[in-house]
Amino acid sequence: MCEANAYFNSDGQEVLFMEAVDVIEPYEDGLKLVDIFGRQKFVKARIKDMTLLNHRIVLEETAGFKHDSD
Amino acid sequence: MCEANAYFNSDGQEVLFMEAVDVIEPYEDGLKLVDIFGRQKFVKARIKDMTLLNHRIVLEETAGFKHDSD
């Protein structure tokens, strides 16, 4: 399985935001993430870097950062 | 291996841009893609959608589209 974990980089520390992410797509001024169970999260962030072989996505907050989960 | 293939969506058709992509990160006003062999491509594009389980990244051209390979 090739899902990845999404982290925020906060003050030099990486904080897990969402596990087992399958889908990432732009949504309004941020991103929509969907995990392998179909759970969605919307976040005002952009991709800072992503290494698929390491299953890692690092997100970076954009202006007006907040996140909501469904 | 969890690399993905990157495609451009052009007139409704998907055109392969780079195979076996490992790393994606923002670079200037576009993206830097690095494949599992360490080859890099820079492209004025953004991620349109990405499904990791399907090993697919779809890119979308941004203004001033062009791409260079190293």
Side-chain angles (χ1 to χ4, degrees):
Chain A
M1 295 284 274
C2 286
E3 69 275 12
N5 292 333
Y7 301 86
F8 269 102
N9 197 320
S10 175
D11 295 327
Q13 287 201 314
E14 286 183 354
V15 179
L16 184 64
F17 173 66
M18 191 177 196
E19 286 183 296
V21 174
D22 173 17
V23 175
I24 302 175
E25 57 189 52
Y27 184 82
E28 291 177 2
D29 53 351
L31 297 171
K32 176 173 111 173
L33 282 74
V34 185
D35 73 9
I36 58 172
F37 308 106
R39 289 183 295 226
Q40 299 183 357
K41 285 190 178 185
F42 299 89
V43 64
K44 285 193 193 304
R46 64 185 199 122
I47 293 166
K48 184 166 179 253
D49 71 78
M50 190 158 57
T51 53
L52 299 179
L53 298 189
N54 293 336
H55 303 253
R56 276 168 48 82
I57 303 162
V58 181
L59 302 175
E60 190 170 52
E61 300 173 10
T62 53
F65 172 72
K66 69 178 173 75
H67 60 81
D68 307 307
S69 309
D70 279 6
Chain B
M1 296 286 274
C2 286
E3 69 275 11
N5 293 333
Y7 301 86
F8 268 102
N9 197 320
S10 176
D11 295 327
Q13 287 201 314
E14 288 184 354
V15 179
L16 184 64
F17 173 66
M18 190 176 197
E19 287 183 296
V21 175
D22 173 17
V23 175
I24 302 174
E25 56 189 52
Y27 184 82
E28 293 177 358
D29 55 349
L31 297 170
K32 176 173 111 172
L33 282 74
V34 186
D35 73 10
I36 59 172
F37 308 106
R39 289 183 296 227
Q40 300 183 357
K41 285 191 178 185
F42 299 89
V43 64
K44 286 196 196 299
R46 64 185 199 120
I47 293 167
K48 183 166 180 251
D49 70 78
M50 189 159 58
T51 52
L52 300 179
L53 298 189
N54 292 337
H55 304 254
R56 275 168 49 82
I57 303 162
V58 181
L59 303 174
E60 190 170 52
E61 300 173 9
T62 54
F65 173 73
K66 68 180 173 76
H67 61 81
D68 306 308
S69 311
D70 277 6

